[in-house]
């Protein structure tokens, strides 16, 4: 019974999880010696190399006890008590273990080394794989763009129609011995639809379209660009007839010899390869190259000579009718409210490119969706225009004194513009701040005619200076010349730049009709940096500064005079602006009594 109960007790006791729990505690050294002496030990096994002794007890327990390297005590004890003692030589075992360990280490080294070698081979492969470019080849089905999707640049479209005809029916041209240009250069500011036009040609003619940006040619390694050019042309020739479109051609096509460090750089090699390839493919081979640039003046002459990019097509900013047409194209896929007049919006967006107009409608569509409405109305278009021209709206100003100062500053600009007949039209004055630190702003629209013709008179430019200083002048008139703020720093910068151009480039000063400085001098940094000496005498330099100062001073005086004479009107307008926060052009003129 009792043994049964003991058994059941044993079975209910938790079993140790690990064998280590079962191991008996080894006795300490002196206890072991005592145990040997007392004959309590069954046998001993001494392992000198490991400095331990294995002790076996009559009850079957086995323990290991650390001992000294050359332990005499245990030997003597065992001898005295007659305990059997064996000595084990483990040198062979240890040598084997060492060998295995070393082999493992060598194996690890070999694996690591081969991994490293493989990695570096991959890197090298990738580096030299640069050479193989992947121009984005659009398949025919992709080319859904047609000429009707491109609006407002009819001249360019007409000129390119013959390219489409050639691609569709080359025989009629070849029969007559006509030579179709190999290269067409599309020149115009960004966003005017140059890429769109190239894609429309491919779409109309139903031929493949290869497009690459010239900046993608130029890489870290010399020679990569050239090999990419070769690759592109090889692909194009295989797929002829086709269109190859190179965007930003000026990235590689700049005049040679103009870089720092001589002419043997990557860009020049790429350009040379491009020239060679253009010469290499036969006339009427069916590959037509279109290239886009905004800076035709910087292109190397070799690129634009007959047989290469010999046809130039200007793609300018759209005029009012053009803008209206572009808006209509982009409104096709967007539900517009019936009240929206695209003509009116075309009138309100002088200077906008096709991309800006597409963006305007897109922003308006986003706003409409956010406001949960079903069609785009004038309100959303207004919001979108503001976002594009001035950035996102920030929280309205709270501080009253600061708000008043900004109101005077903005009304100063706007009132001067309204009072000067040569100045640009006031479109809007607002106090709603914009993210990016603009406290308020006055939007002026330049005259349509001026914008389209690109010609600005001296009196108009002088009026621009006076308007730009209108803000500072208002602060001076109202708060005194000691209380003016640094808020006008942007205006002053613009004044300095414009006045300098008037004096040194347009001949609008007492210095006479001479151009003392060229425009956009930073284009050939390398070349101009090396021979950068002004083309005028030191005394002329001083005269230029004096003329610029005189222009700025006169303009400020004129603005102060105009605003002092119209102080009452200015105060009235500021009160209205503080009250309403935004004044549209027509309301502003009405309040000013200038309609
Ligand atoms: P670019 O190549 O001249 O910099 P893009 O052709 O890339 O300009 O134009 C960008 C986008 O702007 C086009 O995808 C299109 O939506 C719009 N866009 C530009 N010009 C026009 C235009 N003339 N007609 C219609 N859409 C235009």
């Amino acid at each position: 019974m009792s043994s049964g109960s003991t058994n059941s007790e044993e079975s209910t006791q938790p079993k140790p999880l690990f064998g280590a729990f079962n191991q008996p505690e080894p006795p300490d050294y002196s206890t072991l010696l005592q145990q040997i002496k007392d004959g309590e030990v069954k046998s001993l096994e001494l392992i000198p190399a490991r400095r331990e002794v294995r002790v076996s007890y009559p009850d079957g327990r086995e323990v290991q006890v650390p001992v000294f390297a050359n332990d005499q005590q245990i030997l003597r004890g065992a001898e005295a008590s007659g305990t059997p003692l064996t000595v084990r030589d483990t040198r062979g075992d240890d040598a084997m273990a060492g060998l295995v360990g070393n082999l493992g280490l060598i194996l690890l080294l070999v694996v690591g080394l081969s991994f490293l070698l493989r990695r570096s081979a991959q890197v090298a492969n990738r580096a030299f794989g640069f050479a193989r470019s992947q121009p984005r080849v659009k398949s025919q089905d992709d080319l859904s763009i047609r000429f009707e999707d491109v609006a407002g640049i009819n001249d360019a479209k007409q000129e390119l129609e013959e390219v489409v005809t050639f691609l569709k029916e080359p025989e009629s041209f070849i029969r007559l011995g006509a030579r179709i240009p190999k290269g067409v250069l599309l020149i115009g500011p960004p966003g005017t639809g140059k890429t769109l036009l190239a894609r429309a040609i491919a779409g109309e003619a139903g031929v493949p379209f290869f497009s690459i940006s010239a900046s993608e040619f130029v890489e870290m390694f010399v020679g990569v660009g050239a090999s990419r050019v070769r690759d592109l042309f090889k692909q194009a020739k295989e797929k002829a007839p086709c269109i190859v479109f190179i965007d930003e051609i000026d990235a590689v096509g700049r005049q040679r010899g103009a870089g720092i460090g001589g002419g043997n750089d990557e860009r020049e090699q790429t350009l040379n390869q491009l020239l060679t390839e253009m010469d290499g493919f036969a006339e009427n081979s069916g590959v037509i190259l279109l290239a886009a640039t905004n800076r035709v003046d910087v292109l190397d002459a070799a690129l634009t000579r007959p047989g290469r990019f010999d046809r130039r097509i200007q793609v300018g900013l759209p005029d009012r009718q053009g803008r209206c047409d572009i808006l209509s194209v982009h409104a096709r896929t967007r539900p517009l409210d019936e009240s929206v007049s695209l003509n009116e919006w075309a009138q309100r967006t002088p200077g906008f490119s096709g991309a800006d107009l597409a963006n305007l409608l897109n922003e308006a569509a986003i706003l409409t969706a956010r406001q949960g409405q079903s069609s785009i109305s004038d309100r959303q278009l207004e919001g979108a225009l503001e976002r594009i021209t001035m950035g996102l709206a920030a929280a309205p100003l709270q501080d009253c004194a600061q708000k008043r100062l900004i109101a005077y500053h903005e009304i100063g600009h706007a009132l001067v513009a309204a009072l000067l007949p040569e100045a640009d039209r006031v479109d809007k004055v607002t106090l709603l701040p914009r993210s990016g630190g603009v406290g308020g702003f006055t939007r002026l629209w330049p005259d349509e005619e001026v914008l389209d013709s690109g010609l600005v008179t001296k009196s108009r430019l002088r009026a621009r200076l006076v308007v730009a200083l209108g803000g500072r002048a208002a602060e001076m008139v109202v708060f005194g010349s000691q209380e003016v703020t640094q808020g006008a720093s942007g205006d002053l910068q613009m004044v300095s730049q414009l006045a300098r151009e008037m004096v040194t480039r347009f001949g609008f000063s007492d210095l006479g009709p001479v151009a003392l400085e060229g425009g956009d001098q930073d284009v050939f940094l390398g070349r101009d940096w090396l021979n950068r000496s002004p083309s005028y005498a030191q005394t002329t330099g001083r005269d230029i500064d004096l003329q610029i100062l005189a222009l700025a001073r006169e303009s400020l005086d004129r603005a102060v005079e105009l605003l002092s004479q119209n102080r009452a009107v200015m105060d009235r307008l500021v009160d209205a602006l503080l009250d309403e926060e935004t004044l549209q052009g027509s309301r502003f003129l009405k309040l000013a009594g200038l309609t």
Side-chain angles (χ1 to χ4, degrees):
M1 280 294 284
S2 66
S3 72
S5 78
T6 318
N7 272 349
S8 77
E9 255 170 37
E10 268 170 12
S11 64
T12 51
Q13 272 196 1
K15 286 200 170 140
L17 285 176
F18 303 104
F21 279 53
N22 267 341
Q23 285 211 343
E25 274 283 303
D28 51 38
Y29 186 72
S30 46
T31 316
L32 177 66
L33 287 180
Q34 190 59 46
Q35 285 173 348
I36 296 171
K37 197 172 156 198
D38 296 347
E40 290 170 12
V41 172
K42 190 178 154 205
S43 66
L44 291 162
E45 185 183 26
L46 189 66
I47 311 169
R50 293 198 198 147
R51 294 183 189 179
E52 68 179 29
V53 63
R54 286 196 185 154
V55 188
S56 305
Y57 291 98
D59 59 1
R61 279 183 303 139
E62 275 196 0
V63 291
Q64 292 166 2
V65 181
V67 293
F68 301 107
N70 195 8
D71 202 300
Q72 298 295 318
Q73 299 261 50
I74 300 257
L75 286 181
R76 260 186 245 124
E79 201 180 359
S81 63
T83 313
L85 175 107
T86 46
V87 178
R88 202 164 102 196
D89 183 8
T90 58
R91 274 175 303 179
D93 299 357
D94 289 350
M96 196 60 195
L99 193 69
V100 169
N102 285 345
L103 269 179
L105 208 67
I106 290 168
L107 205 73
L108 208 71
L109 263 174
V110 169
V111 170
L113 212 66
S114 72
F115 178 72
L116 269 180
L117 279 175
R118 194 156 342 147
R119 277 289 299 268
S120 60
Q122 273 173 4
V123 170
N125 265 347
R126 229 178 296 147
F128 295 108
F130 268 143
R132 267 170 279 115
S133 72
Q134 291 94 33
R136 293 181 299 277
V137 183
K138 302 246 172 194
S139 77
Q140 217 161 306
D141 333 331
D142 262 5
L143 298 169
S144 50
I145 306 226
R146 295 283 178 276
F147 271 149
E148 64 187 31
D149 298 314
V150 188
I153 39 176
N154 293 332
D155 296 349
K157 245 162 60 174
Q158 270 167 14
E159 288 224 34
L160 288 168
E161 252 155 26
E162 72 181 37
V163 175
V164 176
T165 326
F166 168 76
L167 285 169
K168 274 185 171 164
E169 311 151 11
E171 304 82 28
S172 53
F173 285 80
I174 295 167
R175 205 170 344 111
L176 291 171
R179 188 178 65 85
I180 279 292
K182 281 184 196 172
V184 179
L185 206 54
L186 301 172
I187 304 159
T192 43
K194 298 181 290 297
T195 315
L196 197 67
L197 208 51
R199 292 177 61 189
I201 297 174
E204 288 280 342
V207 298
F209 178 74
F210 293 76
S211 109
I212 191 161
S213 168
S215 53
E216 284 177 55
F217 284 133
V218 185
E219 279 289 355
M220 191 165 57
F221 300 109
V222 173
V224 171
S227 122
R228 282 188 173 180
V229 170
R230 265 195 303 276
D231 213 49
L232 174 70
F233 275 80
K234 193 166 146 257
Q235 286 194 45
K237 275 187 245 174
E238 280 165 11
K239 291 258 172 81
C242 65
I243 297 276
V244 176
F245 179 69
I246 304 179
D247 207 359
E248 305 165 44
I249 184 91
D250 44 298
V252 292
R254 287 184 176 203
Q255 285 171 24
R256 284 168 290 179
I260 299 178
N264 199 21
D265 62 16
E266 158 68 350
R267 191 176 54 71
E268 299 197 351
Q269 286 208 12
T270 310
L271 174 58
N272 287 339
Q273 187 63 41
L274 187 64
L275 297 176
T276 318
E277 288 288 344
M278 284 196 80
D279 286 342
F281 70 89
E283 264 165 25
N284 297 341
S285 65
V287 180
I288 296 208
L289 259 145
L290 293 172
T293 179
N294 189 24
R295 301 298 314 260
V296 70
D297 52 321
V298 306
L299 290 185
D300 197 284
L303 203 60
T304 50
R305 78 152 171 73
R308 289 177 185 151
F309 287 103
D310 48 1
R311 187 154 308 188
R312 298 171 174 213
I313 295 180
Q314 291 285 346
V315 186
L317 287 173
D319 58 11
R320 193 165 116 199
Q321 187 54 46
R323 290 195 297 275
C324 188
D325 294 345
I326 295 174
L327 283 172
S328 317
V329 165
H330 289 280
R332 283 197 304 227
T333 49
R334 298 183 172 100
L336 285 191
D337 203 271
E338 274 175 18
S339 61
V340 175
S341 153
L342 289 183
N343 211 348
E344 207 174 278
W345 279 98
Q347 199 171 356
R348 291 195 59 185
T349 47
F352 271 45
S353 68
D356 293 333
L357 293 168
N359 192 22
L360 175 72
L361 278 177
N362 190 45
E363 285 284 345
I366 291 172
L367 272 181
T368 312
R370 250 188 21 207
Q371 291 165 4
Q373 276 156 25
S374 57
S375 62
I376 302 170
S377 70
D378 280 325
R379 227 184 80 223
Q380 283 98 24
L381 281 162
E382 181 72 46
L385 183 68
E386 223 141 85
R387 224 184 225 204
I388 293 171
T389 49
M390 292 310 299
L392 295 174
L397 281 178
Q398 296 298 334
D399 185 338
C400 219
Q402 198 191 354
K403 208 169 172 182
R404 201 166 189 83
L405 188 130
I406 295 174
Y408 270 107
H409 185 101
E410 296 305 333
I411 290 291
H413 286 303
L415 187 55
V416 169
L419 289 170
L420 285 173
E422 308 87 13
D424 297 331
R425 196 159 43 83
V426 178
D427 183 63
K428 180 175 185 166
V429 191
T430 178
L431 271 187
L432 292 177
R434 296 273 140 186
S435 53
V438 184
F441 69 90
T442 305
R443 193 164 64 207
L444 305 175
W445 280 141
D447 202 292
E448 184 93 13
E449 246 176 61
V450 175
L451 208 74
D452 286 349
S453 67
L455 295 174
V456 195
T457 57
K458 180 175 168 182
S459 61
R460 253 183 194 284
L461 288 183
R462 293 202 68 157
R464 267 186 209 167
L465 292 181
V466 183
V467 172
L469 289 168
R472 167 59 62 91
E475 290 177 29
M476 285 168 70
V477 170
V478 179
F479 304 104
S481 57
Q482 293 308 309
E483 293 302 312
V484 292
T485 67
Q486 99 305 352
S489 65
D491 301 335
L492 298 187
Q493 251 172 25
M494 184 229 146
V495 167
S496 311
Q497 197 181 339
L498 181 56
R500 173 165 285 276
E501 281 188 312
M502 287 170 72
V503 176
T504 61
R505 292 182 57 204
F506 310 148
F508 286 169
S509 73
D510 295 342
L511 290 186
V514 276
L516 297 159
E517 279 168 9
D520 301 319
Q521 293 213 326
D522 54 343
V523 175
F524 296 120
L525 188 60
R527 190 178 62 192
D528 291 347
W529 191 48
L530 294 176
N531 25 357
R532 195 170 189 96
S533 53
S535 51
Y536 44 78
Q538 275 187 2
T539 47
T540 317
R542 190 167 171 274
D543 288 345
I544 291 174
D545 290 342
L546 289 177
Q547 290 288 332
I548 293 171
L549 265 178
L551 267 176
R553 285 223 176 95
E554 276 166 32
S555 304
L556 184 63
D557 290 348
R558 178 96 180 94
V560 168
E561 184 191 321
L562 281 171
L563 293 178
S564 311
Q565 286 165 358
N566 292 279
R567 174 72 202 257
V569 182
M570 180 160 67
D571 291 342
R572 196 167 64 231
L573 285 166
V574 165
D575 286 340
L577 184 62
L578 285 171
D579 197 31
E580 298 172 31
E581 292 205 320
T582 299
L583 297 176
Q584 297 294 347
S586 51
R587 169 127 182 90
F588 173 86
L589 291 177
K590 201 163 148 224
L591 282 170
L594 292 167
T595 41

